[in-house]
RNA sequence: GGCGGCGUAGCCAAGUGGCAAGGCAGCGGACUGCAAAUCCGUUAUUCACCGGUUCAAAUCCGGUCGCCGCCUCCA
């Protein structure tokens, strides 16, 4: 089954055919670095990480560019608030974003271009647009894109230019040729950061950096351009207009937009005060649990964030790790696995691939992963035999492989299940120390004491010890090989 | 007003023409000293509602109701 992708421009799923066989060039709009990234950013970049990983698994050579907008009005404003230089603000939040992405296990893009490092390319593209009659400069040094000069304007987002101009929400600026014209270059006021240009000192408009940088690294026409749904208009519409007006060639083959994270079915926003940063969430939630939650729904649908949803995801992740633990504890074996089991494993694999090929349906793929966990647990319940162990080894490998495709199941299962005990920093975010549990050596000693009591049939004492541990969040599991423990998730 | 999306069990969520995946929670059973974990079974004759097309619809078409997003900086 071929890979299909929903294209926002055509509003349909289409079979994916890259421009250059075996190669995919993808650009995703990154962040404006003026504040810590929030869960909405996490959703976007985890979703595109899953897409990135699937393309790699399909053996495409992927060039993935994700930019930083490191000069912008919001950064300038934030710099004034913090009494810092604008570029220090940008540096600080680029570092913060990098740390968040690393904590979430997002694979680094191939290129992370920054607007301020591409001023010559940006100016060159603005000049092209002026030369071709698609842009005009004002006396004050602002340069605008003339939407009237580009008949296809509105085609990406399905809007009609006349309708938009009739809309009451467009501010009328008499200096512009058309109310919908947007800034390519903004003249700077005294004291603001500025770069020299043919129109005087200024800085780039928001949209131009993405068309200039994406085309520099990926070519005039490239395969996939992504971002949050809100960017469809005006950002991507404007990008497309700039790029196609400047080159006369189609800009992007597949436009991909992720849906929003919502809080109680409402948009998350600073003004509503229902705002969560990635760092906040990782204080109490482990990164893989957050990832499983973020990927549990299709990337185009809205995703409702809540404590319950995070808990459910954590419980599911525990189930997967429990299966992985059972699978990895099997003895090494070179026996042939029983065909019926082999078939189940292959079926789970096929279901996973089918889900991912169908517009990156991670929710369906996760279902397949749970199916594999069930197979694993059933197999683990069989009488020990070389064939069983061989099957379990296959399960272990497949759980790791498919889990890895979603960026989960990367830890040692035993450590994961006991993770919050004794040791801090499981999440890589120092604050996790707050969730620190009892000392593992002490737990083992309690278990030994309970074992002795059980042997003596002193079940009252055994239960007392177990209850004490349960109260501390330590769950005991008595099995044929003795008692295991794990932390309650 | 324009454009787009959503409404599937107690909760979350796949499925876009052929007997309704999966997770969480619940219930019954197996296992266990009792539990936990795990396994087995069970939990929607039904997919917001009303009509229509079809041998066959959650899936296609028309309408109704409800919710949300974009149209303004925004992942």
């Amino acid at each position: 089954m071929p890979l299909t992708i929903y294209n926002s421009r055509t509003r349909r799923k289409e079979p994916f055919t890259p421009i250059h066989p075996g190669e995919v060039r993808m650009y995703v709009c990154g962040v404006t670095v003026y504040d810590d990234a929030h869960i909405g950013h996490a959703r976007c970049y985890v979703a595109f990480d899953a897409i990135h990983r699937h393309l790699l698994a399909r053996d495409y050579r992927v060039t993935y560019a994700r930019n930083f907008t490191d000069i912008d009005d919001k950064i300038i404003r934030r710099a004034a608030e913090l009494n810092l230089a604008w570029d220090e603000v940008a540096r600080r939040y680029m570092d913060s974003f990098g740390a968040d992405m690393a904590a979430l296990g997002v694979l680094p893009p191939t290129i992370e271009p920054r607007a301020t490092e591409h001023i010559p390319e940006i100016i060159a593209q603005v000049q092209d647009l002026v030369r071709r009659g698609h842009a005009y400069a004002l006396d004050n040094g602002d340069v605008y894109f003339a939407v009237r000069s580009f008949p296809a304007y509105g085609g990406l987002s399905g809007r009609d230019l006349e309708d938009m101009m009739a809309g009451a929400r467009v501010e009328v600026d008499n200096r512009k040729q058309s109310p919908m014209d947007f800034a390519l270059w903004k003249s700077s006021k005294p004291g603001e950061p500025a770069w020299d240009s043919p129109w005087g000192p200024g800085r780039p408009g928001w949209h131009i950096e993405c068309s200039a940088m994406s085309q520099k690294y990926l070519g005039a026409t490239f395969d996939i351009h992504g971002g949050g749904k809100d960017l469809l208009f005006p950002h991507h519409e404007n990008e497309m207009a700039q790029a196609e007006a400047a080159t006369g060639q189609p800009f992007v083959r597949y436009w991909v937009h992720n849906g929003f994270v919502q809080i109680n079915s409402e948009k998350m926003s600073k003004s509503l005060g229902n705002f969560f940063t990635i760092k906040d969430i990782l204080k109490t939630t482990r990164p893989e649990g957050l990832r499983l939650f973020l990927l549990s729904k299709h990337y185009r649908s809205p995703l409702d964030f809540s404590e319950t949803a995070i808990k459910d995801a954590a419980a599911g992740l525990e189930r997967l790790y429990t299966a992985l633990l059972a699978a990895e504890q099997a003895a090494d074996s070179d026996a042939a696995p029983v065909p019926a089991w082999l078939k189940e494993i292959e079926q789970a694999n096929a279901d996973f691939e089918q889900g991912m090929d169908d517009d990156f349906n991670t929710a369906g793929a996760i279902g397949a992963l749970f199916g594999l966990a069930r197979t694993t647990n059933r197999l683990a319940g069989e009488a020990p035999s070389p064939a069983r162990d061989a099957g379990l080894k296959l399960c272990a490998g497949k759980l790791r492989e498919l889990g890895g495709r979603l960026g989960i199941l990367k830890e040692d299962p035993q450590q994961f299940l006991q993770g919050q005990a004794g040791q801090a920093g499981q999440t890589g975010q120092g604050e996790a120390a707050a969730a620190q549990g009892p000392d593992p050596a002490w737990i083992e000693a309690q278990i030994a004491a309970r074992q002795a009591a059980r042997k003596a049939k002193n079940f009252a004492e055994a239960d007392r010890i177990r209850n004490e541990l349960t109260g501390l969040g330590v769950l005991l599991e008595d099995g044929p090989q003795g008692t295991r423990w794990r932390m309650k998730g």
Side-chain angles (χ1 to χ4, degrees):
Chain A
M1 185 184 158
L3 173 61
T4 59
I5 300 181
Y6 180 88
N7 188 344
S8 304
R9 189 171 59 75
T10 57
R11 286 170 226 152
R12 319 187 286 233
K13 279 189 206 174
E14 299 171 355
F16 178 68
T17 317
I19 296 165
H20 308 279
E23 189 181 345
V24 178
R25 301 185 187 183
M26 173 164 85
Y27 186 93
V28 174
C29 286
V31 285
T32 301
V33 279
Y34 71 104
D35 204 350
D36 284 325
H38 53 66
I39 184 169
H41 296 114
R43 203 243 176 136
C44 176
Y45 301 116
V46 166
F48 281 101
D49 185 50
I51 289 172
H52 185 194
R53 288 171 191 264
H54 185 57
L55 293 170
L56 291 172
R58 281 299 213 126
D59 286 328
Y60 286 114
R61 213 147 43 83
V62 181
T63 306
Y64 175 18
R66 188 185 64 202
N67 69 299
F68 281 116
T69 298
D70 61 346
I71 182 63
D72 157 276
D73 291 352
K74 289 192 290 295
I75 294 170
I76 295 170
R77 202 181 320 133
R78 193 66 199 267
E81 282 168 22
L82 296 174
N83 202 22
L84 288 171
W86 66 270
D87 50 342
E88 286 177 73
V89 171
R91 180 80 259 158
R92 171 184 295 189
Y93 290 110
M94 271 191 277
D95 290 346
S96 164
F97 180 80
D100 289 343
M101 291 301 109
L104 287 173
V106 171
L107 291 180
T110 321
I111 314 159
E112 294 186 83
R114 297 160 52 179
T116 58
E117 292 180 343
H118 296 79
I119 299 295
E121 288 87 346
I122 290 168
I123 288 174
Q125 189 160 78
V126 176
Q127 282 180 304
D128 280 348
L129 289 168
V130 172
R131 196 178 308 121
R132 287 171 167 251
H134 290 293
Y136 55 94
L138 300 182
D139 292 343
N140 71 352
D142 287 349
V143 183
Y144 283 95
F145 184 88
V147 294
R148 295 272 195 204
S149 73
F150 188 71
Y153 191 78
L156 173 61
S157 56
R159 279 154 223 268
D160 182 79
L161 193 51
E162 302 310 319
D163 285 352
M164 283 190 279
M165 288 194 289
R169 300 179 85 174
V170 178
E171 251 182 72
V172 178
D173 181 341
N174 290 328
R175 298 171 308 160
K176 293 198 274 185
Q177 291 177 4
S178 162
M180 294 307 292
D181 288 355
F182 54 90
L184 298 171
W185 186 262
K186 295 169 140 176
S187 59
S188 56
K189 302 188 187 80
E192 284 183 348
W195 288 263
D196 286 330
S197 83
W199 314 281
R203 61 179 183 272
W206 175 36
H207 316 295
I208 193 73
E209 63 173 272
C210 285
S211 46
M213 295 193 294
S214 61
Q215 292 189 309
K216 171 176 180 181
Y217 292 106
L218 307 177
T221 306
F222 56 93
D223 298 298
I224 297 174
H225 190 135
K229 228 168 197 158
D230 55 318
L231 296 183
L232 188 55
F233 188 88
H235 183 54
H236 289 160
E237 189 72 57
N238 292 355
E239 257 188 74
M240 190 171 108
Q242 291 161 357
E244 299 195 348
T247 66
Q249 294 174 59
F251 182 40
V252 165
R253 298 280 290 270
Y254 301 86
W255 286 93
V256 178
H257 293 96
N258 65 277
F260 265 50
V261 174
Q262 305 186 325
I263 313 290
N264 297 322
S265 303
E266 285 197 318
K267 180 175 169 173
M268 177 176 73
S269 76
K270 288 187 175 174
S271 53
L272 286 171
N274 55 0
F275 192 83
F276 297 90
T277 66
I278 295 171
K279 287 180 176 59
D280 278 340
I281 294 164
L282 289 182
K283 284 176 191 167
T284 53
T285 303
R286 296 150 104 186
E288 290 194 2
L290 179 55
R291 271 192 83 110
L292 188 61
F293 162 69
L294 292 171
L295 296 172
S296 66
K297 196 166 177 183
H298 186 87
Y299 75 88
R300 278 189 281 117
S301 305
L303 175 65
D304 218 47
F305 176 77
S306 69
E307 206 169 307
T308 317
I310 287 289
K311 282 211 168 97
D312 284 358
L317 188 60
E318 255 189 68
R319 176 171 168 78
L320 294 175
Y321 266 110
T322 303
L324 183 60
L325 181 63
E328 293 194 337
Q329 281 179 339
D332 285 324
S333 164
D334 49 13
V338 176
W341 293 108
L342 201 55
K343 202 176 158 193
E344 279 194 33
I345 297 166
E346 280 165 2
Q347 186 60 50
N349 187 68
D351 290 347
F352 185 97
E353 298 297 349
Q354 193 187 318
M356 291 304 290
D357 274 346
D358 181 12
D359 193 30
F360 313 108
N361 186 347
T362 52
I366 287 168
L369 197 54
F370 278 105
L372 182 59
R374 181 181 304 279
T375 297
T376 303
N377 287 329
R378 282 189 15 238
L379 191 48
E382 296 274 293
S385 74
R388 183 200 73 147
D389 289 338
L392 283 173
K393 287 291 175 197
L394 276 178
C395 288
K398 197 47 88 175
L399 282 167
R400 290 279 191 186
E401 179 198 333
L402 299 183
R405 296 273 296 280
L406 301 172
I408 61 171
L409 300 185
K410 292 181 297 190
E411 295 187 38
D412 175 79
Q414 174 112 342
Q415 270 179 23
F416 179 89
L417 293 168
Q418 299 180 346
Q420 283 155 4
Q423 54 207 343
Q426 275 290 311
T427 63
Q429 312 268 321
E431 297 89 338
Q436 186 167 342
D439 176 52
W442 178 80
I443 293 171
E444 297 291 351
Q446 294 304 106
I447 288 173
R450 173 170 170 270
Q451 218 54 298
R454 290 178 75 205
K455 204 162 183 181
K457 303 273 186 212
N458 183 355
F459 294 120
E461 172 64 4
D463 290 349
R464 187 197 64 74
I465 294 170
R466 185 172 61 195
N467 288 337
E468 184 185 355
L469 289 171
T470 305
L472 295 167
V474 181
L475 298 185
L476 301 190
E477 295 170 8
D478 296 331
Q481 285 91 35
T483 297
R484 268 211 310 262
W485 64 274
R486 64 190 176 88
M487 296 304 291
K488 190 170 170 21

